[in-house]
Amino acid sequence: MSILQNMTPSLLAGGVIFTGLALIPGAACNPRKPWWRNPGLSIDGFYAVLNALLAPYLSSAVVVVLALTLTLFLPTTQVIEILKGRGLFAGLPFLTQCALYLAISDFSLYWIHRGFHRKILWPFHAIHHASEEVDWTTGYRMHPINLMLGANLVPFLMLYLGIPLDVIILLAPLDTAVGYFVHSNLNWTLGPLKYVIATPVFHRWHHTRVNQGGGANFAPTFAIWDVLFGTFFMPAGELPAGYGIDDESFPSRFSSQLVYPFKALIRLIGFRKRLPPAGELTP
């Protein structure tokens, strides 16, 4: 229960701050759609509790897999040194380590996020996009595998690079705050800063369907990555209105959603096995 108790302060803060901001006249991106009327709110809550309970096990799995992977390429003694936090950036000044953590972790998450929009990993990420109303609680709607290969993976990668645990712990609340901010029901674009910082409008376009902008805006915190790699999308003078995915067969029940990605992968693998060899395909 201590894990769930630790969630309470951030939940209360997020609820109060972003509810209050969205209630300011003219501030909401999608007026008359407060988060407490979201028909998918209970699903968001189930994912929040599940992922909080699984967090220690997911983190342990990531540590073991990364350590075993390192032993394939490096001597055991060097792997031990890395695990002790003596990696590439270990000797740098504290503020430099903070800046490197923010930049490299966000850059990594940008590409991981793009990877989850490809065919094999998409079923795991589709759960996050299935919500037809987006608000600060939507950030909790993540399949555990999606979390394990994204938000849980990157901090340990940074630890192996020599970023000390103190830096990671210090900046961890920022990740939560940014998640609330970009999912919040606000029409904020931040003017010219929209090309540098991810904003609510920037990320809400990402939650629209693919033909409307859902195939763009992958950066968690710094929109500059999308600008640099050609995936930035924020049409001037327009605001996103509809959200969700095109899969009409996507399950609405929480338990069914958890197994949905695995069923999708089985179908995909089975389909590939049934395909004839490349030389036998007709044009």
Side-chain angles (χ1 to χ4, degrees):
M1 290 299 294
S2 60
I3 296 174
L4 298 179
Q5 290 172 352
N6 291 338
M7 290 175 58
T8 303
S10 64
L11 281 170
L12 290 175
V16 171
I17 293 172
F18 291 104
T19 299
L21 290 173
L23 290 176
I24 296 173
C29 182
N30 305 119
R32 295 179 295 280
K33 288 191 175 182
W35 63 268
W36 60 86
R37 293 181 181 172
N38 182 352
L41 181 61
S42 61
I43 299 294
D44 296 346
F46 287 142
Y47 279 108
V49 172
L50 174 68
N51 287 319
L53 293 174
L54 289 180
Y57 306 102
L58 296 176
S59 298
S60 298
V62 169
V63 171
V64 171
V65 170
L66 286 178
L68 291 175
T69 303
L70 285 173
T71 60
L72 298 176
F73 305 98
L74 299 172
T76 303
T77 54
Q78 191 171 347
V79 173
I80 293 173
E81 290 297 303
I82 291 174
L83 293 175
K84 290 180 179 178
R86 298 171 184 171
L88 181 64
F89 303 133
L92 297 176
F94 182 77
L95 291 180
T96 302
Q97 290 175 331
C98 289
L100 285 170
Y101 176 83
L102 290 173
I104 298 175
S105 64
D106 203 62
F107 178 78
S108 302
L109 286 169
Y110 167 84
W111 286 106
I112 291 172
H113 193 175
R114 287 189 67 169
F116 269 100
H117 277 255
R118 304 302 295 267
K119 182 176 289 186
I120 292 179
L121 291 177
W122 168 249
F124 294 100
H125 193 55
I127 287 166
H128 181 62
H129 279 263
S131 180
E132 295 184 351
E133 293 188 19
V134 177
D135 215 311
W136 66 275
T137 62
T138 308
Y140 285 105
R141 186 187 291 226
M142 301 287 284
H143 194 282
I145 299 299
N146 196 158
L147 274 181
M148 186 173 69
L149 298 180
N152 288 59
L153 172 65
V154 170
F156 287 107
L157 288 175
M158 300 305 299
L159 190 65
Y160 292 164
L161 285 174
I163 299 296
L165 190 58
D166 290 348
V167 170
I168 297 173
I169 293 174
L170 174 68
L171 296 176
L174 179 63
D175 294 333
T176 302
V178 169
Y180 286 162
F181 175 66
V182 298
H183 289 101
S184 60
N185 185 15
L186 297 171
N187 59 12
W188 296 3
T189 62
L190 302 187
L193 286 178
K194 67 183 181 182
Y195 299 111
V196 180
I197 300 172
T199 66
V201 172
F202 167 90
H203 194 71
R204 292 174 84 82
W205 278 114
H206 176 72
H207 274 269
T208 60
R209 286 170 169 77
V210 174
N211 63 346
Q212 298 172 339
N217 301 353
F218 298 98
T221 305
F222 300 116
I224 186 67
W225 305 127
D226 287 281
V227 174
L228 291 175
F229 297 108
T231 53
F232 183 89
F233 180 80
M234 279 183 69
E238 295 184 39
L239 292 175
Y243 312 98
I245 58 177
D246 295 321
D247 185 358
E248 295 182 358
S249 66
F250 187 85
S252 58
R253 294 178 58 186
F254 172 66
S255 57
S256 300
Q257 289 182 14
L258 288 176
V259 298
Y260 165 82
F262 302 105
K263 289 183 176 180
L265 284 178
I266 291 172
R267 288 195 300 269
L268 179 62
I269 294 171
F271 173 74
R272 287 182 172 179
K273 285 183 177 179
R274 289 194 298 272
L275 284 176
E280 298 178 16
L281 291 173
T282 56

